[in-house]
Short mmCIF file of all heavy atoms in Angstrom, two decimals:
data_model
loop_
_atom_site.label_atom_id
_atom_site.label_comp_id
_atom_site.label_asym_id
_atom_site.label_seq_id
_atom_site.Cartn_x
_atom_site.Cartn_y
_atom_site.Cartn_z
N SER A 346 18.74 47.89 -93.47
CA SER A 346 17.49 48.65 -93.46
C SER A 346 16.55 48.13 -92.36
O SER A 346 15.83 48.91 -91.73
CB SER A 346 16.80 48.58 -94.82
OG SER A 346 16.44 47.23 -95.14
N VAL A 347 16.56 46.81 -92.12
CA VAL A 347 15.74 46.24 -91.05
C VAL A 347 16.29 46.69 -89.69
O VAL A 347 15.52 47.07 -88.79
CB VAL A 347 15.71 44.71 -91.14
CG1 VAL A 347 15.02 44.11 -89.92
CG2 VAL A 347 15.00 44.27 -92.42
N ILE A 348 17.61 46.68 -89.55
CA ILE A 348 18.21 47.14 -88.29
C ILE A 348 17.86 48.59 -88.03
O ILE A 348 17.43 48.96 -86.93
CB ILE A 348 19.75 46.96 -88.33
CG1 ILE A 348 20.11 45.48 -88.47
CG2 ILE A 348 20.38 47.56 -87.07
CD1 ILE A 348 21.58 45.23 -88.71
N ALA A 349 17.98 49.43 -89.05
CA ALA A 349 17.70 50.86 -88.91
C ALA A 349 16.25 51.11 -88.53
O ALA A 349 15.94 52.05 -87.76
CB ALA A 349 18.04 51.59 -90.19
N SER A 350 15.34 50.27 -89.02
CA SER A 350 13.92 50.46 -88.70
C SER A 350 13.61 50.19 -87.24
O SER A 350 12.56 50.61 -86.74
CB SER A 350 13.05 49.57 -89.60
OG SER A 350 13.22 48.19 -89.26
N HIS A 351 14.50 49.50 -86.56
CA HIS A 351 14.31 49.19 -85.15
C HIS A 351 15.15 50.09 -84.24
O HIS A 351 15.25 49.82 -83.03
CB HIS A 351 14.64 47.73 -84.88
CG HIS A 351 13.63 46.77 -85.43
ND1 HIS A 351 12.48 46.42 -84.77
CD2 HIS A 351 13.58 46.13 -86.63
CE1 HIS A 351 11.77 45.59 -85.50
NE2 HIS A 351 12.41 45.39 -86.64
N ILE A 352 15.74 51.13 -84.82
CA ILE A 352 16.52 52.10 -84.05
C ILE A 352 15.87 53.46 -84.19
O ILE A 352 15.63 53.94 -85.31
CB ILE A 352 17.98 52.15 -84.52
CG1 ILE A 352 18.67 50.82 -84.22
CG2 ILE A 352 18.73 53.30 -83.84
CD1 ILE A 352 20.10 50.74 -84.73
N TYR A 353 15.56 54.10 -83.08
CA TYR A 353 14.98 55.43 -83.07
C TYR A 353 16.12 56.44 -82.90
O TYR A 353 16.83 56.41 -81.89
CB TYR A 353 13.97 55.56 -81.93
CG TYR A 353 13.27 56.90 -81.86
CD1 TYR A 353 12.05 57.09 -82.48
CD2 TYR A 353 13.84 57.96 -81.15
CE1 TYR A 353 11.39 58.32 -82.41
CE2 TYR A 353 13.20 59.19 -81.06
CZ TYR A 353 11.97 59.36 -81.69
OH TYR A 353 11.33 60.58 -81.62
N ASP A 354 16.28 57.35 -83.89
CA ASP A 354 17.35 58.35 -83.81
C ASP A 354 16.97 59.54 -84.67
O ASP A 354 15.78 59.80 -84.90
CB ASP A 354 18.70 57.74 -84.22
CG ASP A 354 18.72 57.24 -85.67
OD1 ASP A 354 17.69 57.36 -86.37
OD2 ASP A 354 19.77 56.73 -86.09
N GLY A 355 17.97 60.26 -85.21
CA GLY A 355 17.73 61.46 -86.00
C GLY A 355 16.95 61.24 -87.27
O GLY A 355 16.35 62.18 -87.81
N TYR A 356 16.93 60.01 -87.77
CA TYR A 356 16.11 59.73 -88.94
C TYR A 356 14.62 59.75 -88.60
O TYR A 356 13.77 59.95 -89.48
CB TYR A 356 16.48 58.36 -89.53
CG TYR A 356 17.81 58.36 -90.25
CD1 TYR A 356 18.89 57.64 -89.74
CD2 TYR A 356 17.99 59.08 -91.43
CE1 TYR A 356 20.11 57.63 -90.39
CE2 TYR A 356 19.21 59.09 -92.09
CZ TYR A 356 20.27 58.35 -91.56
OH TYR A 356 21.48 58.36 -92.22
N ASP A 357 14.30 59.55 -87.34
CA ASP A 357 12.91 59.58 -86.90
C ASP A 357 12.53 60.95 -86.33
O ASP A 357 11.36 61.33 -86.34
CB ASP A 357 12.68 58.51 -85.83
CG ASP A 357 13.03 57.12 -86.32
OD1 ASP A 357 12.21 56.52 -87.03
OD2 ASP A 357 14.16 56.66 -86.01
N ASN A 358 13.51 61.66 -85.79
CA ASN A 358 13.27 62.97 -85.19
C ASN A 358 14.53 63.80 -85.39
O ASN A 358 15.59 63.47 -84.85
CB ASN A 358 12.96 62.81 -83.70
CG ASN A 358 12.55 64.11 -83.04
OD1 ASN A 358 13.00 65.19 -83.41
ND2 ASN A 358 11.70 64.01 -82.02
N ILE A 359 14.44 64.89 -86.16
CA ILE A 359 15.63 65.66 -86.54
C ILE A 359 16.26 66.38 -85.35
O ILE A 359 17.36 66.92 -85.47
CB ILE A 359 15.29 66.68 -87.64
CG1 ILE A 359 14.22 67.68 -87.14
CG2 ILE A 359 14.84 65.97 -88.92
CD1 ILE A 359 13.98 68.82 -88.12
N ASN A 360 15.62 66.38 -84.19
CA ASN A 360 16.21 66.99 -83.00
C ASN A 360 17.31 66.13 -82.39
O ASN A 360 18.04 66.59 -81.51
CB ASN A 360 15.14 67.25 -81.95
CG ASN A 360 14.14 68.30 -82.38
OD1 ASN A 360 14.54 69.40 -82.78
ND2 ASN A 360 12.86 67.98 -82.33
N PHE A 361 17.43 64.89 -82.84
CA PHE A 361 18.39 63.97 -82.25
C PHE A 361 19.47 63.60 -83.26
O PHE A 361 19.33 63.80 -84.47
CB PHE A 361 17.67 62.71 -81.77
CG PHE A 361 16.54 63.00 -80.81
CD1 PHE A 361 15.31 62.40 -80.96
CD2 PHE A 361 16.72 63.90 -79.75
CE1 PHE A 361 14.27 62.67 -80.09
CE2 PHE A 361 15.68 64.18 -78.88
CZ PHE A 361 14.46 63.57 -79.04
#
Side-chain angles (χ1 to χ4, degrees):
S346 62
V347 173
I348 297 172
S350 69
H351 288 275
I352 294 176
Y353 182 93
D354 62 359
Y356 287 113
D357 302 280
N358 186 328
I359 61 172
N360 293 308
F361 305 133

